Amino acid sequence: MSKLAIIGGTGLTSLNGLQINRSETVETPFGAPSAALSFGEIAGRELVFLPRHGGSHTIPPHRINYRANLWALKQSGVTQVIAVNAVGGIRADMTPGRLIVPHQIIDYTHSRIDTFFEEGLEHVTHIDFTDPYCESLRQQLIAAAAPCGLEVIGEGTYAATQGPRLESAAEINRLERDGCDLVGMTGMPEAALARELELCYACVAVVANMGAGRSEEELTMEMIERTLVSGMADVRRLLEQVIAVLDA
Ligand code: HPA
């Protein structure tokens, strides 16, 4: 039987529809995860929720203990992970409020601990990351959109940047030339660590703003958070739908 976890990002530090049965503070060999794990039910299905930036949204992208987060989920029996990430849009149709289920990722982060395969190894291990996301979970997320009256963009290349600052306009142009469609700060090393632990991992990205230099509006946290309110309401609907039909 599969067990689902949702990792919430900016704008999703709790799940309305989640009936929490218990909360558990766990330790891992890599330290503490961002918050206690919330165990509960949505649509009659058990799941675990973890807010990536902590319960009060205080941990910046480059200080998240990604290893502890993924390890804690694996340790509690999780097999599937839906990651929710706020992003900037680069491709012209990736406008504020749009939902995207990316299919590829390019890692521009640095100085983050990005592997479990570091010490005490029996042999050097290289994971296959050709397709960084779990295709079956991606397809289920895409299929769940229409029944709840939502439209999602079912592919896109996610640029994972270091942050915590936003990009320069030239950086966004470079990311576009590299083939990136959306940009966020938390996609990596999370996706790679999930693969190392053999978790089925997919992402739902919510566009909070156009990438730097792509709109007249000044990029502020206030503006990003404002856009995310309605975007995250759509994400909640999508999650409820997908959870109800997810492969057991
Ligand atoms: N860039 C990087 N990360 C982001 C952005 C952005 O424009 N918006 C929300 N997260």
Side-chain angles (χ1 to χ4, degrees):
M1 177 76 182
S2 64
K3 187 164 170 183
L4 176 72
I6 292 170
I7 303 181
T10 300
L12 195 77
T13 47
S14 63
L15 267 184
N16 298 7
L18 179 67
Q19 278 196 286
I20 299 178
N21 302 328
R22 77 194 154 89
S23 227
E24 204 179 308
T25 304
V26 298
E27 264 298 320
T28 79
F30 309 98
S34 298
L37 303 183
S38 298
F39 293 82
E41 266 178 40
I42 285 187
R45 195 187 154 111
E46 257 193 64
L47 64 81
V48 185
F49 181 76
L50 175 63
R52 185 187 286 112
H53 297 278
S56 334
H57 200 261
T58 49
I59 310 171
H62 62 296
R63 301 296 297 272
I64 291 167
N65 189 339
Y66 294 95
R67 289 202 300 187
N69 286 353
L70 273 302
W71 193 271
L73 296 177
K74 178 81 179 183
Q75 198 169 258
S76 66
V78 163
T79 55
Q80 294 175 312
V81 179
I82 299 175
V84 181
N85 303 73
V87 296
I90 300 177
R91 210 170 80 190
D93 62 338
M94 298 201 175
T95 49
R98 295 297 310 252
L99 304 190
I100 302 147
V101 181
H103 73 299
Q104 276 297 331
I105 195 160
I106 300 182
D107 188 6
Y108 299 91
T109 67
H110 51 83
S111 321
R112 298 184 182 186
I113 301 176
D114 57 2
T115 182
F116 290 108
F117 297 128
E118 215 166 33
E119 284 168 358
L121 301 176
E122 279 167 26
H123 45 80
V124 172
T125 307
H126 306 287
I127 52 158
D128 178 7
F129 206 49
T130 311
D131 295 305
Y133 299 106
C134 173
E135 190 56 25
S136 68
L137 188 51
R138 259 182 30 79
Q139 290 305 331
Q140 290 178 79
L141 282 163
I142 295 165
C148 53
L150 291 170
E151 240 185 77
V152 301
I153 300 177
E155 44 76 52
T157 298
Y158 180 122
T161 55
Q162 174 66 7
R165 65 168 177 82
L166 294 162
E167 297 71 35
S168 69
E171 285 170 332
I172 292 293
N173 291 339
R174 179 181 79 144
L175 296 178
E176 185 171 51
R177 288 194 299 276
D178 280 358
C180 299
D181 303 302
L182 56 154
V183 55
M185 300 173 193
T186 49
M188 286 292 278
E190 198 174 90
L193 292 168
R195 179 63 54 82
E196 287 189 350
L197 294 180
E198 299 182 343
L199 294 165
C200 168
Y201 176 97
C203 158
V204 180
V206 187
V207 180
N209 55 279
M210 290 313 288
R214 299 291 164 110
S215 90
E216 299 295 304
E217 223 179 329
E218 192 195 344
L219 293 180
T220 62
M221 268 315 283
E222 194 261 323
M223 175 267 225
I224 287 176
E225 280 165 4
R226 192 167 7 98
T227 316
L228 286 176
V229 172
S230 66
M232 288 302 168
D234 289 346
V235 168
R236 288 190 175 92
R237 276 165 59 207
L238 185 71
L239 291 176
E240 281 177 21
Q241 175 69 25
V242 84
I243 288 162
V245 299
L246 211 55
D247 286 347

